[in-house]
Amino acid sequence: MSLARLIERLLQLIPVLLGVSVIVFVMITLTPGDPVEIMIGDQNITAEQEAAMREDLGLDRPVHERFFLFLGNAVQGDFGESFYHRRPVIDVIAERLPATIELSLVALIIALVTAIPLGVVAAIKKNSMTDRLATVGSLLGVSLPGFWFGILLLMLFAVQLQILPVSGRIGFSSEIEPITHFLLIDTLLRGRPDAFLDALSHIILPAITLGLPMTAILMRVTRTSMLEVMRQDYVTFAEAKGLRRNRILFRHALKNALIPTVSVAAIETGSLLGGNMIVETVFGWPGLGRLVVESIFVRNYPLVQAAVLFYALTYVMLNFLADILYTVLNPRVKL
Amino acid sequence: MSETDQTYSARQEAAIVHTRRGWRERTLIELRKAPWTAWFGMFVILCYLLVALFAPWIAPHGEAEIFDTPYAPWSAQFPFGTDQIGRDVLSRLIYGARNTIGIALATTFLAFLIGGGMGLMAAISRGWVDQVLSRLVDVLMAIPSLIFALMLLSIFGASAVSLIAIIAVLDSTRVFRLARAVAMNVVVMDYVEAARLRGERLGWVMRREILPNIMPPLVAEFGLRFCFVFLTIAALSFLGVGIQPPTADWGSMVRENAALIQFAQYDLKAGLTPLLPAAAIALLTVAVNFVVDWFLMKTSGLRDEF
């Protein structure tokens, strides 16, 4: 892909993001319920104090002015102050983000290491018992509601067997000074293997729950594309040359069969980020998803705006990345 | 060589009467060839529909009828016990079928009406109409739909009507993409050109020339979308903004009874109660998937297997 084409594709993302920010802003303006009143709650304060609060938060200005202010600041990375935390929104999000990214990455890894071997085995031994089981399993994987599977796992491992913790990211006794804010890495950097195991035991159930639908989808994609590749002439030719079966499978077939898997994985990672609200709620995971759900309920506008823009940005970037990966892995495809 | 081979006549062959089978007969033949998975799927869907339709006659107790003992154990009077405020779980499961399936079906229909209509329009008109609609869909799809739905529900309030409208609009984006893509292939056909040159109106061309030719993928998508809508509603109810109490629905039932799980070590049955509504969701989704798989294989040869 030429550099000019790459830049052109990148520029095409701008109108989408602009559209998203307009929609988010309009919707939040339409939302009934006054954030100032919610913040005041039962406290007794004077009308002047209330007006001052309103002015402080910029809520006294006309709508269009607020939008351009929001947009201008957003471009500079300034999303205003979170009504609740009284701190810049970007800081609050940055604080929660590592937990969400860590969870998503572990879920992605789980999905990849289970889906690819399963898909390959299902394709090689087509219509065998393994294949049937894998197919039915993948069907169940996309059919089960995420929260149900999560609750089921909680019930089995945390309540019945009591070998894994019920919620949170890490136990009190294992808390450490953060370096990268990714607990699995930090605990190792600090030389605390016990804390690492603790963090691992917290992340494993939510990560499996989050990764399950993705595992199911990736398995199906891998199986289909592996079957497709195995019918290609060059595989037949490799067989005719007398190459060993494993060599054909891994050097000739798998390499090409993984192209669709990789690009689907890139796209699905976007939905992983968007779909973790449920999982984070079930497992009490202190990530961005839960923060957004809570913020919508208390009408914390600036935070919701910033978070939705962040999600949209991630979504379009991952799609962009999937396109690029596709052309890199498969040079015959031109964008 | 036998005699019959030499006495071939074209007239004779043309004279063989081709029986034209009625749709009922054709359906029966197709059904007989259906694999057991499809049969299983259809059977499950039929059962669900019957339960949904006749809920008030099947359910042993009322939907919101409250009894004295909350969290009652499984018994003859309450086959699956009672929930946190003493309502019969079985009855609520049965009414839940009606509410959840009804709303999901209505939502999917609406989504197809909007998305399908817009998709066809974009494919036929091309030009700026297509550009505007496609970019709008790009924007809508970039926002995670669960967050979007949550925001819209907090604007319009969580009633059944707004739930249906909001999820239908959000889901219509996917339908739009599919309808537009498949219609694009049909729009360039000569017979569509002919119809337009004849001076047929846009609606007529859409309905009579294009729609019949893109039906199979749309019908299959309908099944899958239905499952997706179903899971979205369940997720929203689980977060507490979907179908509102005291209306029974499976998503909120999981949430309301989740506390029972901790009793699993004392009374396994009680611990299983919160899993029943979710199992009901999963079973229906699997059933629809089975039927869709069979339908896809039959109509277009599209299938995972080769």
Side-chain angles (χ1 to χ4, degrees), chain B residues 28-280:
Chain B
L28 267 176
I29 290 172
E30 280 304 337
L31 278 181
R32 220 167 286 149
K33 285 190 292 187
W36 70 268
T37 47
W39 272 106
F40 171 77
M42 284 184 287
F43 176 72
V44 170
I45 293 171
L46 193 72
C47 290
Y48 271 67
L49 287 180
L50 287 178
V51 168
L53 280 177
F54 299 109
W57 290 277
I58 300 173
H61 304 284
E63 183 180 9
E65 199 178 338
I66 298 173
F67 295 93
D68 296 335
T69 35
Y71 292 136
W74 294 16
S75 64
Q77 194 194 356
F78 309 113
F80 292 137
T82 57
D83 67 2
Q84 83 282 10
I85 56 171
R87 291 170 300 195
D88 179 42
V89 171
L90 177 65
S91 305
R92 285 182 72 73
L93 271 178
I94 291 169
Y95 277 100
R98 169 176 258 201
N99 301 326
T100 320
I101 295 175
I103 288 183
L105 261 184
T107 308
T108 319
F109 267 116
L110 193 60
F112 269 75
L113 216 61
I114 301 171
M118 297 279 185
L120 285 191
M121 219 163 83
I124 298 173
S125 343
R126 314 276 183 91
W128 65 268
V129 179
D130 183 23
Q131 278 298 323
V132 169
L133 286 174
S134 295
R135 291 297 83 74
L136 185 69
V137 165
D138 283 351
V139 169
L140 288 180
M141 283 181 85
I143 305 176
S145 54
L146 210 51
I147 294 181
F148 212 172
L150 269 180
M151 282 165 66
L152 287 169
L153 281 170
S154 70
I155 296 178
F156 298 108
S159 68
V161 176
S162 59
L163 195 67
I164 291 173
I166 289 167
I167 302 181
V169 170
L170 293 184
D171 243 41
S172 66
T173 54
R174 271 86 179 167
V175 184
F176 170 87
R177 285 239 171 127
L178 179 77
R180 181 179 170 276
V182 287
M184 278 293 190
N185 296 327
V186 178
V187 166
V188 292
M189 295 286 176
D190 288 339
Y191 57 82
V192 179
E193 182 85 354
R196 302 204 69 178
L197 289 176
R198 268 203 316 270
E200 303 290 1
R201 263 177 286 113
L202 186 66
W204 197 92
V205 176
M206 271 163 75
R207 248 192 355 267
R208 301 294 298 272
E209 303 286 355
I210 300 177
L211 201 57
N213 289 299
I214 62 169
M215 258 339 240
L218 283 184
V219 171
E221 181 69 9
F222 187 89
L224 300 177
R225 275 291 119 210
F226 172 75
C227 295
F228 199 79
V229 167
F230 205 70
L231 291 177
T232 311
I233 292 178
L236 285 172
S237 300
F238 177 73
L239 288 174
V241 291
I243 300 164
Q244 293 302 306
T247 311
D249 102 290
W250 293 336
S252 38
M253 283 179 73
V254 175
R255 186 174 49 106
E256 286 163 3
N257 296 316
L260 272 176
I261 279 182
Q262 45 194 318
F263 300 120
Q265 38 197 330
Y266 310 112
D267 179 1
L268 189 65
K269 284 177 183 167
L272 283 177
T273 308
L275 304 179
L276 293 173

Side-chain angles (χ1 to χ4, degrees), chain A residues 79-140:
Chain A
F79 291 95
E81 277 203 347
S82 164
F83 290 171
Y84 260 71
H85 309 79
R86 306 299 313 186
R87 282 192 301 143
V89 162
I90 202 94
D91 289 357
V92 180
I93 289 183
E95 202 170 83
R96 294 290 200 105
L97 202 51
T100 291
I101 294 180
E102 189 173 35
L103 180 60
S104 302
L105 282 181
V106 175
L108 177 67
I109 292 169
I110 291 178
L112 286 175
V113 297
T114 47
I116 294 176
L118 271 178
V120 170
V121 171
I124 297 173
K125 306 199 162 156
K126 204 183 85 172
N127 291 333
S128 69
M129 207 54 209
T130 328
D131 181 25
R132 293 257 157 81
L133 279 179
T135 310
V136 172
S138 81
L139 187 57
L140 277 175

Side-chain angles (χ1 to χ4, degrees), chain A residues 27 126 148 151-152 220 311, chain B residues 147-148 155 261 278 304 306:
Chain A
M27 282 195 350
K126 204 183 85 172
W148 184 64
I151 290 178
L152 200 71
R220 276 196 132 168
Y311 279 127
Chain B
I147 294 181
F148 212 172
I155 296 178
I261 279 182
D304 276 354
F306 292 98

